[in-house]
Amino acid sequence: MNSIKNTVTNTLSPTITNMIRMDHTHVLEAFHQYEIDSSPQTKKALVNTACLALEFHSQLEEEIFYPVMRTLATDTATVDKSIPEHNEMRRLIGELRAMEPTDPRYDQTFMQLMRDVMHHVADEETTLLPDAERLLSDRLGELGAQMTKRRLQLAAPRAREIAVNTIRGFPTSSMLFAAGALIAGTYFAKRTFEGQSRHRRT
């Protein structure tokens, strides 16, 4: 029974490490779209998109990914320093939310957030994610499904905000990509949980 359940989960849901990489790509895309001479409305939409994605991402890692890695990894240095890095990101996000895009400090604060995030992403993608794929090989799909379910819970109350920011901040091609990714993620999550429910009943 457990092997069937794991097969369904692994097939229909992104692995937790791939999901983390997709989060990184999404945030870096928002960074890439940000330009100093963009309109205040576009700047604010891109900053809001990046900040909300980082908040979801940090919470998901702290609730699901880091605790598992802390129990299994022999070297937890990268995990241990990630929490203070998340807290520094939250501090900068708080500053950005308290400013208007016309504030002279707005660009500088967002650039600092970009630098911090890119350093954090580099550490995770070169060290932590490869370690996770080695240590959690048989649980990556299960943890990915768990993260997908929790992500949908976090995003549901903010769905309108996410949509408005995407429309205002991204060009059409990126909007279509983001919409497709969201639809695909929702579909895979739904199929995963339906599959698990059917197997639990049998």
Side-chain angles (χ1 to χ4, degrees):
M1 181 66 67
N2 285 338
S3 63
I4 296 174
K5 177 180 174 182
N6 288 339
T7 299
V8 171
T9 302
N10 293 342
T11 301
L12 297 179
S13 178
T15 65
I16 192 168
T17 48
N18 283 342
M19 191 171 295
I20 289 169
R21 289 188 181 98
M22 287 188 287
D23 282 354
H24 292 166
T25 300
H26 175 60
V27 172
L28 294 176
E29 172 70 9
F31 289 168
H32 178 72
Q33 296 293 334
Y34 190 92
E35 296 179 355
I36 301 298
D37 58 354
S38 294
S39 70
Q41 177 179 290
T42 298
K43 283 185 178 183
K44 190 166 188 176
L46 289 168
V47 168
N48 287 345
T49 294
C51 290
L52 192 58
L54 287 169
E55 287 174 325
F56 289 164
H57 179 74
S58 299
Q59 185 170 345
L60 290 167
E61 286 191 323
E62 290 171 15
E63 288 183 5
I64 299 168
F65 183 54
Y66 292 162
V68 175
M69 289 303 295
R70 191 172 281 112
T71 61
L72 294 177
T74 54
D75 181 4
T76 60
T78 303
V79 175
D80 292 339
K81 73 173 187 172
S82 292
I83 302 297
E85 289 176 353
H86 282 180
N87 290 337
E88 175 61 12
M89 289 178 212
R90 291 184 180 108
R91 184 188 70 78
L92 292 169
I93 288 169
E95 288 189 11
L96 286 163
R97 289 214 166 111
M99 295 181 202
E100 289 300 321
T102 51
D103 190 308
R105 299 171 298 148
Y106 198 79
D107 292 332
Q108 180 182 352
T109 304
F110 191 56
M111 296 300 170
Q112 180 61 53
L113 180 63
M114 284 188 193
R115 287 191 292 270
D116 288 355
V117 169
M118 287 190 283
H119 173 78
H120 181 77
V121 166
D123 279 351
E124 287 199 339
E125 297 211 357
T126 58
T127 304
L128 198 57
L129 298 185
D131 282 352
E133 286 167 341
R134 177 173 54 84
L135 295 167
L136 300 171
S137 57
D138 60 340
R139 296 188 60 197
L140 293 171
E142 168 203 338
L143 291 166
Q146 187 179 341
M147 186 174 275
T148 298
K149 181 179 180 181
R150 182 63 175 136
R151 180 189 303 280
L152 293 172
Q153 291 170 345
L154 294 174
R158 314 290 290 272
R160 184 179 182 280
E161 178 184 352
I162 293 168
V164 169
N165 288 332
T166 301
I167 291 167
R168 290 179 178 171
F170 288 86
T172 303
S173 59
S174 295
M175 285 169 54
L176 292 173
F177 174 81
L182 180 61
I183 291 167
T186 304
Y187 170 77
F188 284 132
K190 184 173 183 292
R191 288 286 304 275
T192 297
F193 303 133
E194 286 176 349
Q196 290 176 348
S197 297
R198 282 197 301 271
H199 287 299
R200 278 197 294 268
R201 289 196 297 268
T202 59

